[in-house]
Amino acid sequence: MPSPPRTPSLLRRLLLRAFSLPNSTARSYSAASKASLPAASVWSFGDNSNGALGLPFPLADAYEPTKVPSLPSRIAGVAAGHYHSLAVTADGEVWAWGRNEEGQLGRGAAAPRDTWSKPERVTGLDHVRVQAAFASGVVSAAVGDDGSLWVWGRSKRGQLGLGEGVIEAARPSKVEALAGHEIIKVSFGWGHALAQSKDGKVFGWGYSEDGRLGEMGKMLDKPLSQPLNSHKALDNSASLLDIVEKQVAEKLEKEKNMPIIWEPCIVQELSALRVFDVACGLDHSLVLCSEYSFPRSLSTSFRYLYQFCTQIRLQTIAVYLLYT
């Protein structure tokens, strides 16, 4: 069988040049596009009992979209937690408002409650140009243009990812376990978290029960001495209060045995795949993977070239370039 013709040298050079831009150049394009954003405002609606709408009290609910006051004019992105909200400006700042009971606004415990609903800039990120922000019920996170991940808030289930036993960060703190990896997205579940890197890797941490973090949590699962749903101790005459008290006791017992991954670890089951998106549900996880696999040792330029050629159904060009 005759070998495929070699790719013309000019086309080869042009394609390689197009797909071998250094990371710093790619980031500068992203920064430039954000810098040119027109004025954009944030509008909110729904329940405002925790101040997540950013609207002044005594307004409890907003049934129509209402503009959030006190924000900069050029907003590039937003994120909604359970009871608080985040906004990222075109200049790379993070603004937060809403519930601060767990410190998810980054203002510290001393911040007066009547100020929580007013958007304020998150301090402690002055040396970071933030590209995106993410929020759970109790934790906030920001990704810098260098791929660093910063978190703040309080989570007894390890959702901060800052190390063994660390359950609180009053100010933004860098997740050192991910140093060296360029993070582009984070997703939070009820007690767990996933992070996606630019090169398609997935890292998980936090509450690992029921396999929501994959195999890494299996060794930590500790079944209780009695099944949680067992009510053998209650006879037919047990009152509703007795049943509730028993359920509360079971929940407290379960809290003592929580399986927790305290620092981000790679999800090994996905190491042979390239992941393009991640999402956490309440107690499960989803990933979007490429249907084509290729060695991770392949250079970044060839990876991007392969993806591009696949998307436009010109896989043959990639094959020629890789093997000629």
Side-chain angles (χ1 to χ4, degrees):
M1 182 176 181
S3 59
R6 294 179 62 86
T7 305
S9 58
L10 177 59
L11 174 61
R12 180 187 178 94
R13 288 198 301 271
L14 289 175
L15 285 172
L16 286 177
R17 180 176 298 179
F19 287 93
S20 60
L21 289 174
N23 290 340
S24 59
T25 304
R27 283 197 293 267
S28 68
Y29 288 151
S30 175
S33 63
K34 283 196 173 186
S36 61
L37 282 174
S41 56
V42 179
W43 296 62
S44 63
F45 45 101
D47 176 36
N48 195 41
S49 59
N50 285 280
L53 300 186
L55 306 176
F57 287 113
L59 181 62
D61 301 310
Y63 289 89
E64 296 182 1
T66 307
K67 185 176 179 180
V68 179
S70 307
L71 281 172
S73 61
R74 293 192 304 132
I75 300 297
V78 293
H82 294 181
Y83 308 109
H84 73 293
S85 304
L86 303 173
V88 179
T89 71
D91 297 321
E93 297 177 343
V94 179
W95 289 63
W97 62 96
R99 179 184 170 103
N100 192 49
E101 199 71 45
E102 293 79 22
Q104 53 266 63
L105 301 186
R107 303 180 189 180
R113 182 178 292 268
D114 59 4
T115 66
W116 292 358
S117 63
K118 182 180 179 181
E120 291 185 10
R121 185 176 65 86
V122 177
T123 60
L125 291 168
D126 300 336
H127 55 300
V128 182
R129 187 181 181 90
V130 174
Q131 295 292 297
F134 309 91
S136 74
V138 294
V139 169
S140 298
V143 171
D145 64 353
D146 60 351
S148 59
L149 177 61
W150 300 76
V151 295
W152 59 98
R154 183 168 70 241
S155 170
K156 61 184 178 182
R157 293 175 177 82
Q159 213 170 35
L160 290 170
L162 294 175
E164 181 80 28
V166 180
I167 63 173
E168 184 173 9
R171 302 293 181 186
S173 301
K174 186 177 181 179
V175 181
E176 295 294 349
L178 290 173
H181 299 283
E182 191 169 351
I183 302 303
I184 59 175
K185 181 179 180 180
V186 176
S187 182
F188 291 109
W190 177 61
H192 70 297
L194 293 178
Q196 174 193 351
S197 67
K198 188 175 181 180
D199 60 354
K201 297 176 183 176
V202 177
F203 301 85
W205 66 96
Y207 189 53
S208 64
E209 191 174 58
D210 303 322
R212 66 197 72 187
L213 292 179
E215 291 287 339
M216 73 172 78
K218 183 175 290 188
M219 66 183 70
L220 298 179
D221 286 342
K222 298 178 181 178
L224 301 178
S225 56
Q226 295 181 351
L228 287 179
N229 295 325
S230 173
H231 296 286
K232 294 180 179 179
L234 299 177
D235 56 32
N236 293 333
S237 63
S239 67
L240 178 60
L241 179 60
D242 291 333
I243 295 175
V244 171
E245 286 180 345
K246 180 173 178 60
Q247 291 177 339
V248 170
E250 289 174 343
K251 290 290 186 182
L252 291 175
E253 184 64 25
K254 190 175 181 179
E255 293 280 301
K256 297 178 183 178
N257 295 277
M258 287 191 299
I260 295 175
I261 306 295
W262 290 99
E263 288 185 327
C265 298
I266 192 167
V267 181
Q268 294 290 351
E269 301 90 297
L270 299 171
S271 59
L273 300 172
R274 184 177 181 85
V275 175
F276 292 96
D277 201 5
V278 297
C280 292
L282 184 70
D283 51 14
H284 73 291
S285 302
L286 295 176
V287 296
L288 178 65
C289 300
S290 168
E291 51 185 299
Y292 300 99
S293 60
F294 42 88
R296 288 192 178 276
S297 59
L298 213 58
S299 70
T300 303
S301 59
F302 281 134
R303 286 173 180 273
Y304 290 143
L305 177 61
Y306 187 92
Q307 293 164 27
F308 171 75
C309 294
T310 298
Q311 291 170 3
I312 62 173
R313 304 298 182 185
L314 293 178
Q315 295 95 329
T316 51
I317 296 179
V319 173
Y320 289 166
L321 282 175
L322 292 175
Y323 294 103
T324 58

